[in-house]
Amino acid sequence: KTRSNHTAKASVRRTWHCQSDYCVNLYENINAEAGLCVEISCSFTTSSDFNPAHLVWYKCESSKSKCGDSDIIFHIYKNKIQSGFRGRVSLLEPRLHHGNCSIIISDLQESDSGSYQLRVNGYLNGEGTGFTYNTRTTVHVRGMESHYVYDYDL
Ligand SMILES: *[C@@H]1O[C@H](CO)[C@@H](O)[C@H](O)[C@H]1NC(C)=O
């Protein structure tokens, strides 16, 4: 898949949000179109004694303070991913130590609109644990109908 067909329009700029040493840099809102893909651009840091092992992405109601296991849309174990997102979400930068948590979601549907939350799983003093960042990106997917209107204008 090429990256040239993603037409995500991110609003304003990305900003850092920190909870002690754990920081995430996300756009608050991203507009996208159904049928195309969207990049959720993201960077993260952890406390220096935390060793990141893998990332988890969730999508859940913004009213929920923390997404749960049933909200997983990206995970190293495919069976943990909601069936509707399997095979549609990929990391842009698989090398975790680069602090890049960006993902691409392809074949966007209007139902993909919603708030996306990041978790990093890893080890703190040798013990398996994880950290879920509070700040989320909200993706607004515009329906296909608008494409037809747009085509008419050409
Ligand atoms: C993440 O990595 C990808 C691929 O290397 C790169 O294109 C993108 O700009 C990076 N994003 C951030 C936020 O660093």
Side-chain angles (χ1 to χ4, degrees), residues 3 14 39 41-43 92-93 95 100 102:
R3 256 185 238 157
R14 295 197 296 140
E39 175 183 335
S41 185
C42 169
S43 310
L92 252 68
E93 174 53 75
R95 293 168 298 179
N100 184 330
S102 307

Side-chain angles (χ1 to χ4, degrees), residues 120-133:
V120 57
N121 283 337
Y123 298 91
L124 190 63
N125 305 319
E127 239 175 87
T129 180
F131 185 87
T132 304
Y133 298 87

Side-chain angles (χ1 to χ4, degrees), residues 56-148:
V56 181
W57 274 96
Y58 306 89
K59 172 183 179 283
C60 72
E61 298 295 323
S62 45
S63 56
K64 246 167 119 175
S65 69
K66 206 170 173 181
C67 302
D69 281 354
S70 60
D71 304 314
I72 292 174
I73 62 138
F74 180 83
H75 197 285
I76 49 165
Y77 299 123
K78 297 219 162 39
N79 64 327
K80 295 205 176 232
I81 301 173
Q82 293 179 45
S83 54
F85 280 93
R86 262 177 230 160
R88 289 203 295 133
V89 186
S90 46
L91 277 182
L92 252 68
E93 174 53 75
R95 293 168 298 179
L96 269 194
H97 54 279
H98 288 221
N100 184 330
C101 38
S102 307
I103 50 171
I104 283 205
I105 307 172
S106 58
D107 301 324
L108 278 179
Q109 295 146 24
E110 279 181 79
S111 57
D112 295 338
S113 293
S115 96
Y116 289 79
Q117 185 167 40
L118 174 72
R119 175 179 174 86
V120 57
N121 283 337
Y123 298 91
L124 190 63
N125 305 319
E127 239 175 87
T129 180
F131 185 87
T132 304
Y133 298 87
N134 279 338
T135 307
R136 303 181 196 177
T137 285
T138 303
V139 175
H140 309 270
V141 182
R142 199 165 58 140
M144 292 293 256
E145 307 85 73
S146 42
H147 288 292
Y148 299 130

